[in-house]
Amino acid sequence: MAIKQRLGKKKAAAGRVSSSDEAASSAMPPSDEKALTGRTPDGTAFAVPKTSDMLQSLFNPFTPKTTFDLFTLLILSTHLLVFVAFPLAAKRRILVAAFAFWRLCYNGGLGWILNWQSSRHGLVALFKRNGWLDASRGGNMYVWLKAELEAKMGADYSFEKVPLEFNVWLLYRQLVDLILLNDFMAYFFLCACYIGSANDSETWQTVLRVVGGLILLAFNLWVKVDAHRVVKDYAWYWGDFFFLVEQSLTFDGVFEMAPHPMYSIGYAGYYGGSLITGSYTIFYASLAAHMLQFLFLSFVENPHIEKTYERAPLAIQVLQKSRSRKVSLDSEGSPVATALTVDAQRSIRERPASLWHPELIFFKNLDLFRASDILTVLLLAYSVGVPLLFLYLTGYTSTLLVYSSLQCLWWILFRTLVLGVLLRKQSADQFITRWFIKHGGNSEEAFSSWRAVYNSATIMIYGSFALVAVAGYHWGDADYSDLVLFHTLGLLLIAFHVWSSRSVYDTLGDFGWFYGDFFARSPAVVSLAPADIKLYYTGIYRYLNNPEKVIGQAAFYGLALISRSWTVFALALFFQCGTFLFGAYVETPHMEKVYGTQIHRDSGIVRTVKKAVNKGIGQPVFTDDKPVPAASGSDDAGSGSIAELLTMRPVKEILQDTRGLLSTTTARLAERALPSELSKLDHLDSYSIKLQPGAAGKASKASRNEYYLGEPIRIAWTAPRSHSRRDWVGIYPVTANFSSQITTASSRGRYVYIHPDENLLAEKVPGDSVFTGHVRSTIRPAKRNAPTVEVLQGEAVFSSAALPFRVGAYEMRLHHGGTHAVIAQSKPFEITVCESSEITSVFELQVPPATNGDIPPLAENIDELSLALMTIVNKTLAVTDSRPEPKDGDVVVRTEIVEPLVSVLDPFAVDRVLDERQAKRLGYAIKEYFGVEFSPDVLIHAAKHEATVQDVARRIVEARRALSEYSSLNFKV
C-alpha cells in the first residue's frame, strides 16, 4: 500500500549492507584514495591498509603465489580434472556432491564462524588464546603466517603495527576465497555437464531459453560489480564482524533495487544457468543453494546487522544508561521513589485495552475467547469449511467452483470498493469517526472497529482464493516434471508474498498496517499513533513505493500455478486491478493532502533504472525525481494421526526412559575415564565451592540455602595454585545428573569460569557472569600431618542470564579444565519466591506513603506494588558489569550488578523491546510473585507501546481484584 510507506520506522542502519557471497570482483579503490580508519571492539584506532585483488593474486602468473594461493589453485584444478577425465554420468554425480559440499561449507561453515565471531569474538579469541600471531608464543606458526600475509599485502601494511583483529580478518579472507571460488567452480562445471540436456520441441524455444539465461547472467554480473563499487573490500569479506571503519557510504545503484541485493537478485545467475542448460537438476540445485543463502542471511547477517547498527544488545544498552546515569547523579544526588499522583493514576487507568490485548492481525494474536476473533473464525469456517465438506460428500466440483468464484469476487469488491469508499470518506470528513461519536463512541472505538472489519475482509479474501484453488485444481495426465515445477514456482510465490507482507508490517507496525493516519495523527486521539508521523522510506519501501500494489498478490498467482486454474488467475488479476484503483483514488489523494512534498514520485528501483539508462546512453533521458506538490486543502480426522500418536503418554514415557537410559549410560562410560583424568590433579581435596547467603537466606529462619527468583547468587571458591585456568562452575537441578563424578546435563549457559586467564577473557562479552573480586593466596595443610598447600581463594557471581529462572532445587558443580569431570559440589539450594507484600522489605527498599487522593480505594497500595514490581523487573533484566584489571601479574575482575530501571515511571522494557526469552522470564516472575499470569506476547506488545512499571502494576492490581471476587466463595453443585 502506498499509503503505508509514510509510517516507516526510522532505523539507524547507515554504513552497513549485506556482505558478498562470491569473491569474484575485488577491484580496489584508486591508490590515491584516502586511507580508512578502523576501530577494534576495544576502541583501538588504526589506518586500514589496502588489500590485494583476489583474482589478480590467484590467476596472474607473474604475481608471487603464497601457500594459500597454491592450495586454492590445487583444489580448483580437481574440478577441471573431474570434468575432463570422468564419464558423463559419473562426473555429474561427483560435481553435484562437490557443489553441495562447498555450499554447505559456505553457509554452514563460514556462517558458524561468523556467528561465533559476532557473538563471542570467537575467532579472534582463538588466535589470541593459542598465540599463533604472537611473536613470543607463535614460534614457526607465527613466522609462516606473517610471511603469508606480508606477501599478499602492499607497502602500507605492517604485520606488527595493525591490530590482531585485522590480521585475523586477512586470514579469514583466505578461507573465504578457498570456499567461494570452489563453490563457483563446482557449479560452473556442473552446469557444463548438463548443457544440451533440454528437450525443446522448437528451435525458437531454445533461443528464448538461452537468451533469457544470458540476460540473467549479465544482470548477475552487473549486480556483483555495482555492489562491490558501493561496499568495497571491507564489507565484501564481512569486515565489520572483526572491526569497524569510519566511513560514509552512499547506498545507491543496486542497493536501491532490492533488499540485500547480494543475497536476493545477486543470485539471478543461478537461474540463468538453469535456463541455459534447461535442466531440472540444475534448477533445483540452484534453488536449494539460494534457500541456504537466505538462511545464512536470517541467522548470521541480520542478527549482526541489528546489534551492530540498529539496536545494541540489552547488556550494552543497560550499561550505557547506567554510566550516563552515574554522571548525572554525581551532580543531582540519588533519585527518590515517589508515590503516584492522582493525575498519574488517572492516566494509567485511561490506557486503552489494546495496550494489553493486541488486536487480531490476520491470525496473529488470535484469542478464541474474544468475540471478534471467534466470529471471524466462524465466518471463515462457514464460508470455506462448509463448501469443502460439501465437495467431499458430493464431489460436485463445478458447482463448488462457481460458488467459490462468486464468493471470492464479492470479498474482493468488499475489500477494494466498499472499504475504499468508507476510507475515502474518512479522509475527506472523518465519516467513520463522526459516526461513532454520534452514537456514543470515540475515535479509539472507531479505529478499533475499522481494524476488525479490515482484518476480517483480508482473511476472507485469502480463504476464498484458497477455496477457488481447491475447486479448480486439475492436472489430469500432465507431465510429472511440469507438475513439480509449477508447484515449486507456486510455493515460491506464496513464500515471497509472506515475506513481503511481513516486511511491510515490520516497517509500518499496527498503526500503519490499518491506515491509522486516516483516523488520527497524534497519540492523544488514537493510542496506537506514534508521536512523530512522517514519511520514512525504509525497509521494503526503500525499493517500492507501493509493495501491495506491485507484489501484494503474489500468493494468488502462486495458487493459480499450483491449481493450473485460469479462474484463480483471472480473480488474482481482478484483485490487483482493484488494488491499483484503491491506491489511485483512496491512498494517493490522502497522501498528497497530508504529506505533500515528503512523497517520493519514483521508487528505488525506478531511480536505479533511470540512472542506468542515462549513464548508458550518455545523456539525461529521464529527469530527476521531483516532489509532489502539497495539496490545497472443522479439522480433518486423519491429518493429525501421527501427531496424536507422538503425544500419547506411553510414547512420551518411552522417550523419557530412553533419554534417561542414554544419559545414565553416558555417565557410566565417562566415569571409567575419570580416575585417569582426575589422578593427574594435585590436592584434589583442596577444591571447594561455598554458597554466600542472599536476601532469601537472611529473611528465612531455616538452615537451608535459599535464594529468591532473579536474585544474584554469589559463591566463594578455593583451588590449589596449580589449578586449571579453565575450571568452571555450572548450576543444575539436583535431579539432572545421574552421577556425582561426571556431569551429563547441559548447563544451558548457566556457568562461570572461576579464575579465567586473559585468553579466556578475550571471549567475554558485556553481560557475562565471571569471577569477581580479588584472588587471594593462602597456605594451609590439605590433611592432618600433610605438607602445606598453596591455595587460591576467590569469589564468583551468577546473575541475569546465568541464573536458573524456575522455582526449584539446584546444586553447583565445579568442573576441571573445561571438561565435565566434577571436582567439587555445593550444598543443594532452593530458588523460591516471597509474598509480593514482602518484596520491598526483603530487598530493603523504602516505600513512600500511598496517595490515592479522590480515587476509589484499591485492593492494595499501588505505590508499594509498583516499587515491588520494579524490583522484580530489575532482577529479571539485570546485567553484570565486569571490568578486568591486571594485578600482581594476574587478572582480577571488578563486578557490579547493573539494573536498568530507577523509577516506577520508567518503561518496563529497555528501548521498548522485549525478546521472547526475556518476556517469558518476566511473565514467569510476575506469575510466581504476584499470582497473575501474562502471556509473553502481551508483555512484548505492551513494551512496544512504552508501558511503564506503573501501567503493569495497575494491570496486576485490577487482575488481582477481579480474581479475588469469588476466591473466598465455596461453590457447591
Side-chain angles (χ1 to χ4, degrees):
M1 302 176 188
I3 192 70
K4 294 178 178 177
Q5 63 195 312
R6 62 186 171 280
L7 301 171
K9 300 172 185 174
K10 194 173 184 180
K11 294 183 178 180
R16 178 69 178 103
V17 294
S18 296
S19 302
S20 78
D21 58 349
E22 244 179 78
S25 176
S26 302
M28 293 306 302
S31 58
D32 58 349
E33 183 178 338
K34 183 179 179 180
L36 298 174
T37 299
R39 194 169 297 276
T40 62
D42 63 2
T44 303
F46 66 100
V48 180
K50 293 183 176 65
T51 51
S52 60
D53 181 276
M54 179 269 297
L55 296 179
Q56 177 78 9
S57 63
L58 270 178
F59 299 110
N60 187 342
F62 303 103
T63 302
K65 300 293 183 288
T66 66
T67 305
F68 294 124
D69 294 335
L70 295 175
F71 182 73
T72 300
L73 291 172
L74 175 64
I75 301 300
L76 285 174
S77 64
T78 59
H79 298 89
L80 177 61
L81 178 63
V82 169
F83 180 76
V84 173
F86 284 79
L88 182 62
K91 64 185 176 184
R92 282 181 174 179
R93 289 193 294 268
I94 295 173
L95 289 172
V96 165
F99 178 56
F101 171 76
W102 291 114
R103 178 51 46 173
L104 290 175
C105 285
Y106 176 11
N107 298 127
L110 295 183
W112 180 84
I113 292 174
L114 286 174
N115 186 64
W116 183 37
Q117 172 64 24
S118 175
S119 59
R120 314 293 309 180
H121 310 303
L123 192 60
V124 173
L126 176 68
F127 277 81
K128 186 179 295 186
R129 186 163 55 248
N130 292 280
W132 292 328
L133 298 180
D134 188 342
S136 61
R137 297 193 296 150
N140 293 331
M141 177 68 75
Y142 168 82
V143 175
W144 176 62
L145 291 177
K146 179 183 178 182
E148 291 287 309
L149 295 183
E150 289 179 339
K152 295 183 72 70
M153 298 296 290
D156 61 342
Y157 171 75
S158 173
F159 183 88
E160 292 83 3
K161 291 182 180 180
V162 297
L164 176 66
E165 286 81 0
F166 184 81
N167 284 330
V168 173
W169 176 60
L170 291 180
L171 291 172
Y172 176 74
R173 285 165 52 101
Q174 310 308 310
L175 180 63
V176 172
D177 290 342
L178 170 68
I179 292 176
L180 270 69
L181 276 174
N182 280 281
D183 174 73
F184 170 77
M185 195 64 69
Y187 182 78
F188 174 80
F189 284 118
L190 179 63
C191 289
C193 290
Y194 280 90
I195 289 179
S197 61
N199 297 318
D200 296 328
S201 57
E202 300 290 343
T203 303
W204 65 268
Q205 293 178 335
T206 303
V207 173
L208 282 179
R209 182 168 49 77
V210 173
V211 170
L214 291 174
I215 291 174
L216 287 177
L217 288 177
F219 176 72
N220 194 124
L221 179 62
W222 173 78
V223 169
K224 300 291 187 184
V225 172
D226 196 60
H228 190 273
R229 172 188 64 81
V230 174
V231 303
K232 306 296 188 297
D233 237 21
Y234 169 68
W236 193 269
Y237 284 98
W238 300 280
D240 60 351
F241 281 73
F242 298 84
F243 57 92
L244 298 179
V245 295
E246 299 175 357
Q247 64 176 340
S248 177
L249 298 179
T250 302
F251 294 98
D252 58 358
V254 69
F255 288 97
E256 290 186 316
M257 293 191 67
H260 304 287
M262 298 304 298
Y263 295 155
S264 52
I265 58 177
Y267 273 76
Y270 271 180
Y271 305 104
S274 303
L275 282 176
I276 293 173
T277 60
S279 168
Y280 284 111
T281 301
I282 299 298
F283 171 72
Y284 288 112
S286 302
L287 183 62
H290 202 177
M291 293 303 103
L292 285 175
Q293 197 63 31
F294 280 122
L295 291 177
F296 178 89
L297 173 66
S298 299
F299 292 100
V300 180
E301 283 263 16
N302 280 343
H304 181 76
I305 292 172
E306 180 179 356
K307 79 174 190 177
T308 305
Y309 299 98
E310 298 177 7
R311 179 179 177 268
L314 171 68
I316 295 178
Q317 293 188 64
V318 172
L319 294 178
Q320 289 175 345
K321 289 184 177 181
S322 173
R323 287 160 188 165
S324 62
R325 189 188 307 144
K326 287 179 179 179
V327 173
S328 62
L329 289 182
D330 289 341
S331 58
E332 299 176 5
S334 301
V336 180
T338 57
L340 298 182
T341 64
V342 175
D343 291 339
Q345 295 190 53
R346 283 175 177 161
S347 66
I348 297 169
R349 183 169 296 177
E350 292 168 2
R351 286 277 197 167
S354 59
L355 174 67
W356 299 103
H357 203 177
E359 305 229 7
L360 191 65
I361 302 176
F362 200 63
F363 284 112
K364 182 185 177 183
N365 307 321
L366 178 65
D367 185 350
L368 294 180
F369 286 91
R370 181 165 47 189
S372 59
D373 293 13
I374 188 62
L375 288 175
T376 300
V377 172
L378 291 176
L379 177 63
L380 183 65
Y382 181 78
S383 303
V384 178
V386 173
L388 287 176
L389 180 62
F390 171 81
L391 175 65
Y392 176 76
L393 295 176
T394 65
Y396 292 162
T397 305
S398 58
T399 303
L400 179 62
L401 181 60
V402 173
Y403 165 79
S404 60
S405 300
L406 291 175
Q407 177 181 245
C408 186
L409 185 63
W410 152 249
W411 283 113
I412 291 174
L413 290 173
F414 180 79
R415 163 68 172 74
T416 56
L417 180 60
V418 177
L419 295 187
V421 170
L422 287 175
L423 207 57
R424 184 179 174 87
K425 291 176 69 65
Q426 172 69 14
S427 175
D429 60 4
Q430 294 292 291
F431 173 77
I432 301 175
T433 303
R434 290 178 183 274
W435 177 276
F436 272 84
I437 292 174
K438 177 181 178 180
H439 294 86
N442 55 31
S443 59
E444 200 76 58
E445 293 180 41
F447 187 45
S448 178
S449 297
W450 162 261
R451 296 202 303 269
V453 173
Y454 178 83
N455 192 70
S456 298
T458 302
I459 290 175
M460 290 309 303
I461 283 181
Y462 282 94
S464 299
F465 265 101
L467 183 61
V468 177
V470 171
Y473 185 91
H474 67 284
W475 279 89
D477 57 351
D479 184 71
Y480 178 76
S481 59
D482 291 340
L483 184 147
V484 174
L485 176 63
F486 275 66
H487 279 68
T488 300
L489 295 176
L491 291 174
L492 287 175
L493 285 174
I494 293 174
F496 178 67
H497 180 101
V498 172
W499 169 81
S500 63
S501 298
R502 289 181 61 91
S503 299
V504 169
Y505 177 75
D506 290 342
T507 302
L508 303 176
D510 297 351
F511 187 73
W513 181 263
F514 289 111
Y515 302 93
D517 62 347
F518 279 75
F519 292 82
R521 301 192 66 196
S522 167
V525 181
V526 172
S527 59
L528 288 179
D532 180 24
I533 301 181
K534 292 183 179 179
L535 277 177
Y536 294 122
Y537 287 86
T538 58
I540 194 172
Y541 290 95
R542 175 180 169 86
Y543 318 102
L544 295 170
N545 286 351
N546 195 330
E548 186 179 13
K549 184 173 67 176
V550 180
I551 58 177
Q553 290 73 39
F556 308 133
Y557 291 114
L559 288 175
L561 286 176
I562 292 174
S563 61
R564 204 173 69 165
S565 169
W566 284 103
T567 303
V568 179
F569 177 81
L571 288 169
L573 186 60
F574 180 74
F575 184 31
Q576 187 158 26
C577 293
T579 304
F580 268 92
L581 294 175
F582 185 91
Y585 291 98
V586 179
E587 296 181 276
T588 301
H590 181 78
M591 290 182 65
E592 292 176 353
K593 179 176 69 174
V594 175
Y595 298 100
T597 56
Q598 298 181 48
I599 301 172
H600 287 182
R601 185 180 66 182
D602 292 337
S603 65
I605 294 177
V606 173
R607 287 196 302 272
T608 303
V609 172
K610 286 183 176 181
K611 290 178 182 177
V613 172
N614 291 339
K615 183 178 180 180
I617 296 179
Q619 57 183 349
V621 178
F622 298 103
T623 59
D624 293 335
D625 183 14
K626 295 181 180 179
V628 178
S632 60
S634 112
D635 301 337
D636 185 1
S639 63
S641 58
I642 296 179
E644 292 173 359
L645 177 64
L646 292 176
T647 56
M648 293 173 59
R649 184 171 179 80
V651 176
K652 282 187 174 181
E653 292 178 353
I654 292 173
L655 292 175
Q656 290 174 354
D657 292 343
T658 303
R659 190 181 298 112
L661 178 62
L662 290 173
S663 178
T664 302
T665 304
T666 303
R668 287 174 175 170
L669 291 174
E671 281 182 343
R672 296 182 180 180
L674 280 179
S676 60
E677 178 71 22
L678 298 182
S679 63
K680 303 174 184 178
L681 297 181
D682 296 328
H683 315 297
L684 189 59
D685 55 351
S686 298
Y687 291 90
S688 69
I689 47 178
K690 182 180 179 181
L691 298 166
Q692 302 295 316
K698 296 175 182 177
S700 175
K701 297 180 180 180
S703 59
R704 64 179 183 271
N705 295 310
E706 288 185 346
Y707 298 89
Y708 288 129
L709 184 69
E711 178 187 0
I713 301 177
R714 299 181 182 274
I715 63 171
W717 56 268
T718 61
R721 176 169 287 278
S722 60
H723 82 100
S724 170
R725 299 296 291 270
R726 296 180 61 83
D727 290 347
W728 61 282
V729 177
I731 301 181
Y732 306 89
V734 292
T735 58
N737 294 288
F738 168 78
S739 171
S740 61
Q741 296 179 296
I742 188 75
T743 297
T744 54
S746 170
S747 66
R748 301 181 181 275
R750 301 188 293 262
Y751 68 91
V752 170
Y753 289 106
I754 61 171
H755 188 201
D757 55 17
E758 290 183 350
N759 295 324
L760 273 179
L761 289 174
E763 292 190 43
K764 186 187 77 67
V765 296
D768 280 354
S769 291
V770 296
F771 84 103
T772 179
H774 296 284
V775 178
R776 300 175 297 275
S777 178
T778 61
I779 304 295
R780 70 176 188 184
K783 294 181 180 179
R784 184 174 298 177
N785 300 325
T788 58
V789 179
E790 191 173 10
V791 176
L792 298 179
Q793 297 177 338
E795 297 177 352
V797 60
F798 289 81
S799 64
S800 56
L803 286 172
F805 224 81
R806 282 290 183 272
V807 170
Y810 297 87
E811 65 177 355
M812 291 192 182
R813 292 178 164 220
L814 175 59
H815 304 87
H816 166 62
T819 70
H820 287 79
V822 180
I823 50 181
Q825 288 179 258
S826 73
K827 293 181 179 180
F829 63 93
E830 187 175 354
I831 302 291
T832 184
V833 296
C834 62
E835 295 292 333
S836 59
S837 58
E838 301 175 356
I839 294 177
T840 53
S841 60
V842 298
F843 288 106
E844 300 177 355
L845 301 174
Q846 294 182 355
V847 184
T851 57
N852 289 330
D854 58 353
I855 292 180
L858 299 174
E860 48 199 303
N861 183 351
I862 183 65
D863 295 318
E864 182 175 355
L865 191 139
S866 297
L867 196 58
L869 177 62
M870 185 185 74
T871 303
I872 300 308
V873 174
N874 274 332
K875 299 299 180 187
T876 304
L877 303 180
V879 171
T880 304
D881 185 12
S882 52
R883 298 176 298 278
E885 299 176 357
K887 182 178 180 180
D888 301 331
D890 201 348
V891 178
V892 297
V893 179
R894 308 288 184 184
T895 302
E896 177 186 2
I897 307 300
V898 178
E899 298 178 341
L901 308 181
V902 296
S903 169
V904 295
L905 299 173
D906 291 339
F908 76 93
V910 179
D911 195 29
R912 302 192 308 166
V913 175
L914 276 183
D915 62 31
E916 186 175 359
R917 181 171 180 269
Q918 295 164 355
K920 286 181 177 179
R921 288 162 65 99
L922 182 56
Y924 179 81
I926 292 175
K927 176 185 176 182
E928 292 296 323
Y929 278 109
F930 301 101
V932 177
E933 184 174 5
F934 292 136
S935 73
D937 291 338
V938 168
L939 295 174
I940 292 172
H941 182 78
K944 184 170 64 175
H945 291 90
E946 296 186 282
T948 66
V949 176
Q950 289 178 351
D951 294 329
V952 184
R954 172 68 61 176
R955 198 71 177 178
I956 291 173
V957 169
E958 293 175 351
R960 290 171 65 151
R961 183 165 51 190
L963 296 173
S964 64
E965 286 289 321
Y966 297 96
S967 61
S968 60
L969 298 181
N970 183 19
F971 291 96
K972 295 182 180 180
V973 180

